[in-house]
Amino acid sequence: MDFDLTDDQRLLKDSVDRLIADRYSFDQRKKYMAEKDGWSRDNWAQFAELGLLGVSFDEAYGGFGGGPVESMLVAEAFGRGLVLEPFFATVVLGGGLIKRAGTDAQKMAMLSEIAAGTRLVAFAHVERASRYNLADVQVTATKSGDGWVLNGEKSVVMHGDCADTILVTARTAGSRRDRNGIGLFVVDAKAEGLTRKGYPTQDGLRAAEISFANVRAADVLGDPAGALPIVERVIDEAIAVLCSEAVGLMHEMHVTTVDYMKQRKQFGRAISEFQVLQHRSVDMFVALEQARSINMFGTVMAGDDDAKSRSRAVSATKVQIGKSGKLIGEEAVQLHGGIAMTMEYKVGHYFKRMTMIEALYGSTADHLAKVADSGSLFA
Amino acid sequence: MDLNFTAEELAFRDEMRKFFRTEIPESIRTKVLEGQHLTKDEIILQQRILNKHGLAVPGWPVEWGGKDWTPVQRYFYADEIQLAGVPGGLAFNTSMVGPVIAQFGSEAQKKKFLPATANLDIWWCQGFSEPGAGSDLAGLRTKAELIDGQWVINGQKTWTTLGQHADWIFVLCRTDPNVKKQEGISYILCDMKTPGITVRPIQTIDGGHEVNEVFFDDVKVPAENIVGEVNKGWDYAKFLLGNERTGIAQVGASKARLKRIRELAAIEPMGEARVLDNPKFREKLSMVEIELKALEMTQLRIIADEKGKAKGRPNPASSILKMKGSEIQQWITDLTMDVAGPYIMPFAMSDEGSGRNEVGYGPEFAAAAAPAYFNKRKVSIYGGSNEIQRNIIAKAILGF
């Protein structure tokens, strides 16, 4: 049992930390947000050069060969920098699905391009009524010749506006919430019949509403009627990465708040001298350390092959992250006071990203219900 | 990062598990797991078994019966002893006075006290808090004056846990009233049979008799009973409070209690179903388990951080263990009351001070549910209240 990093992991951490320090001041971030895509293509090329876009892919596909810990290190640093680029959509979700469901040829074609920074991917699965149920799929895929034709609508597709390739869950058999009969299709974003409407999200990232009218899929990943278990596994892995990003956000909110308290003067002294405020910032610290701790458990367990213990651990992690994140975010704003209410100041933006993460892939309440239904965390 | 333990570490865990569950009587372990108080004889019996096998005082220096264990081995010892429902060495002896004597005491004191302390031939109690010195412990006023080669102690101590059983007391006394308050305190050992000592019981809100007031009225103690140097007692006490804090996390004990609650909730009827079938109850239970899982990882992180480092000042992050560990212990007693439902109500405290609610109604575990809930309010107050822990983190970690 140890929490040490290997030499390679330490090098990775150093390089991604340096990247954030060099390229992700709050002012630089504002400039990236104003670019055409809402993020920086130049940064993306830099990420590719550092190997971050293939961090969790095998070396055979141009990847870094890392596992959950490597993804954790990158995501935590990205959280601290409040990174805008489509790392989560393209590498974690898109790359994760291709890695778990694709054939060798598909992986060779797509993962190597993701790692090189030349292919952006998004994952379209949310529907108007599905909320967090990945099995609730009404978009259809019907067999046509030797391919598949998709019809229906997908919502809140993270970075769906800029993606070159959209991965889509669609029903090939069964009724609306059946676990069987779901396929995972590869669709070219420029395909005929596909329309998308891009928009910014609350946290400064981007998403899209996408509709499919007789869209011919370019390919299918895995069994066209049996994709759900793989989708669930990749979402578990993705939640662990999101939780790591959240730890980075919480860390930055806490550090920023403590620094601000030492500088801000009222009643003739630094507000950090007031015990009531000290104690509240300590409660933030305890919440942060609890989140950091369980995130290590969640990160390691996200790689577990047993679906039940993996899901239970990941859900438990998301609950603690959600609980800690809400406390830290709300207190960061409160302890700063009015300044944190402004768009000009950085803390509010961290709070907003934290709030969006709570709503991604299941709220705290949803995951708590899942843990409650799956027995004890202590085997 | 690797959360797996080595084969040797797991073998050590299994050895501990087997020992605690086979060598310590089941009647004692069941009482602990059910949250009941033990008798004096039961506490002594189990400590002597532990000591006979060299497992009563692993934290002490090796020459006095301690173990040269790794942080992981110390973790497994604590986790397994708690999971098994073994009370373990009396904290006043093994975690508090023993390490202080071993570190700061004279050779004569070590020889006289350490073996008897490890074997619980001497039962120690703690004379720290006073009516006017709680969280501000350094403000204590019980004074000791050196007169004709003897310490003469006058004053009052309070919250003296299990003082009614004690043979000896370690007392913080003011020996110099004219210096900064932390610099005029000494650490003195005192036989409870010395004339002038009066012990008065305090009944706590759970109905039990766990704590006492201890009055000192011209109590004469041999000069050699001072530990270390005169006026250095505060340093020794701080050393001791650090020991106390890590023990307070009680992660293993909380795991054992949660397991028991889950078993009871699966039996206890609720309408046509069982308590465990209620999703609201399950969610409340799971939330406590999640916080405990996070705390277990926090504890492992602190342990991993100790690896390869000399034993020294307690890591200020251990204040997290105290704060969260105590909250979790309190939530657990609340969950037990949820399982017991209306049967938390009957109250029939026996007179002989067993601290046991002896009622004959409803399920057996329910009688202890409310007393345990009331009793556990103490854990966020003692050992440096949770607000004091916040002060420690604010100063030592956040730099306020």
PDB file of all heavy atoms in Angstrom, chain B residues 47 129 145 189 201 208 218 273 291 326 395:
ATOM      1  N   GLN B  47      -6.868  -7.227  28.868  1.00  0.00           N
ATOM      2  CA  GLN B  47      -5.541  -6.591  28.730  1.00  0.00           C
ATOM      3  C   GLN B  47      -4.427  -7.552  29.140  1.00  0.00           C
ATOM      4  O   GLN B  47      -3.357  -7.563  28.545  1.00  0.00           O
ATOM      5  CB  GLN B  47      -5.449  -5.289  29.532  1.00  0.00           C
ATOM      6  CG  GLN B  47      -4.052  -4.650  29.382  1.00  0.00           C
ATOM      7  CD  GLN B  47      -4.033  -3.160  29.615  1.00  0.00           C
ATOM      8  OE1 GLN B  47      -5.078  -2.503  29.596  1.00  0.00           O
ATOM      9  NE2 GLN B  47      -2.857  -2.611  29.823  1.00  0.00           N
ATOM     10  N   SER B 129      -8.283  17.821  33.104  1.00  0.00           N
ATOM     11  CA  SER B 129      -9.314  18.863  33.081  1.00  0.00           C
ATOM     12  C   SER B 129      -9.680  19.317  34.483  1.00  0.00           C
ATOM     13  O   SER B 129      -9.594  18.549  35.441  1.00  0.00           O
ATOM     14  CB  SER B 129     -10.588  18.327  32.405  1.00  0.00           C
ATOM     15  OG  SER B 129     -10.341  18.025  31.063  1.00  0.00           O
ATOM     16  N   GLU B 145       3.135  22.243  45.505  1.00  0.00           N
ATOM     17  CA  GLU B 145       4.250  23.000  46.085  1.00  0.00           C
ATOM     18  C   GLU B 145       5.216  22.013  46.733  1.00  0.00           C
ATOM     19  O   GLU B 145       4.780  21.050  47.384  1.00  0.00           O
ATOM     20  CB  GLU B 145       3.744  23.958  47.162  1.00  0.00           C
ATOM     21  CG  GLU B 145       2.832  25.054  46.634  1.00  0.00           C
ATOM     22  CD  GLU B 145       2.085  25.742  47.771  1.00  0.00           C
ATOM     23  OE1 GLU B 145       1.166  25.112  48.352  1.00  0.00           O
ATOM     24  OE2 GLU B 145       2.427  26.893  48.073  1.00  0.00           O
ATOM     25  N   LEU B 189       2.922  12.002  39.318  1.00  0.00           N
ATOM     26  CA  LEU B 189       2.240  10.714  39.479  1.00  0.00           C
ATOM     27  C   LEU B 189       1.824  10.550  40.939  1.00  0.00           C
ATOM     28  O   LEU B 189       2.626  10.807  41.845  1.00  0.00           O
ATOM     29  CB  LEU B 189       3.181   9.572  39.079  1.00  0.00           C
ATOM     30  CG  LEU B 189       3.894   9.741  37.734  1.00  0.00           C
ATOM     31  CD1 LEU B 189       4.881   8.591  37.505  1.00  0.00           C
ATOM     32  CD2 LEU B 189       2.881   9.818  36.595  1.00  0.00           C
ATOM     33  N   PRO B 201     -18.451  10.620  42.147  1.00  0.00           N
ATOM     34  CA  PRO B 201     -18.964  10.237  40.820  1.00  0.00           C
ATOM     35  C   PRO B 201     -19.787  11.350  40.156  1.00  0.00           C
ATOM     36  O   PRO B 201     -20.439  12.142  40.855  1.00  0.00           O
ATOM     37  CB  PRO B 201     -19.857   9.028  41.117  1.00  0.00           C
ATOM     38  CG  PRO B 201     -20.229   9.164  42.553  1.00  0.00           C
ATOM     39  CD  PRO B 201     -19.089   9.861  43.233  1.00  0.00           C
ATOM     40  N   GLY B 208     -25.067   6.685  32.899  1.00  0.00           N
ATOM     41  CA  GLY B 208     -23.928   5.897  33.361  1.00  0.00           C
ATOM     42  C   GLY B 208     -23.022   6.664  34.301  1.00  0.00           C
ATOM     43  O   GLY B 208     -23.137   7.882  34.482  1.00  0.00           O
ATOM     44  N   ASP B 218      -4.424  18.916  50.392  1.00  0.00           N
ATOM     45  CA  ASP B 218      -3.112  18.684  51.027  1.00  0.00           C
ATOM     46  C   ASP B 218      -2.604  17.261  50.786  1.00  0.00           C
ATOM     47  O   ASP B 218      -2.204  16.558  51.718  1.00  0.00           O
ATOM     48  CB  ASP B 218      -3.175  18.972  52.535  1.00  0.00           C
ATOM     49  CG  ASP B 218      -3.102  20.467  52.814  1.00  0.00           C
ATOM     50  OD1 ASP B 218      -2.469  21.190  51.994  1.00  0.00           O
ATOM     51  OD2 ASP B 218      -3.690  20.903  53.816  1.00  0.00           O
ATOM     52  N   ALA B 273     -42.254  -5.147   5.993  1.00  0.00           N
ATOM     53  CA  ALA B 273     -40.864  -5.370   5.572  1.00  0.00           C
ATOM     54  C   ALA B 273     -39.916  -5.204   6.755  1.00  0.00           C
ATOM     55  O   ALA B 273     -40.315  -5.332   7.905  1.00  0.00           O
ATOM     56  CB  ALA B 273     -40.518  -4.406   4.451  1.00  0.00           C
ATOM     57  N   GLU B 291     -18.569   8.358   4.033  1.00  0.00           N
ATOM     58  CA  GLU B 291     -17.666   9.239   4.798  1.00  0.00           C
ATOM     59  C   GLU B 291     -16.598   8.409   5.520  1.00  0.00           C
ATOM     60  O   GLU B 291     -15.453   8.823   5.640  1.00  0.00           O
ATOM     61  CB  GLU B 291     -18.455  10.072   5.817  1.00  0.00           C
ATOM     62  CG  GLU B 291     -19.295  11.180   5.190  1.00  0.00           C
ATOM     63  CD  GLU B 291     -18.537  12.503   5.001  1.00  0.00           C
ATOM     64  OE1 GLU B 291     -17.307  12.523   5.220  1.00  0.00           O
ATOM     65  OE2 GLU B 291     -19.181  13.495   4.627  1.00  0.00           O
ATOM     66  N   SER B 326     -14.955  11.397  15.027  1.00  0.00           N
ATOM     67  CA  SER B 326     -15.926  11.592  16.098  1.00  0.00           C
ATOM     68  C   SER B 326     -17.320  11.845  15.527  1.00  0.00           C
ATOM     69  O   SER B 326     -18.307  11.322  16.037  1.00  0.00           O
ATOM     70  CB  SER B 326     -15.488  12.733  17.022  1.00  0.00           C
ATOM     71  OG  SER B 326     -15.322  13.931  16.293  1.00  0.00           O
ATOM     72  N   LYS B 395      -4.167  27.017  12.244  1.00  0.00           N
ATOM     73  CA  LYS B 395      -2.844  27.567  12.520  1.00  0.00           C
ATOM     74  C   LYS B 395      -1.743  26.766  11.820  1.00  0.00           C
ATOM     75  O   LYS B 395      -0.889  27.330  11.130  1.00  0.00           O
ATOM     76  CB  LYS B 395      -2.628  27.528  14.036  1.00  0.00           C
ATOM     77  CG  LYS B 395      -1.488  28.397  14.505  1.00  0.00           C
ATOM     78  CD  LYS B 395      -1.460  28.444  16.033  1.00  0.00           C
ATOM     79  CE  LYS B 395      -0.084  28.875  16.503  1.00  0.00           C
ATOM     80  NZ  LYS B 395       0.181  28.578  17.879  1.00  0.00           N
TER      81      LYS B 395
END
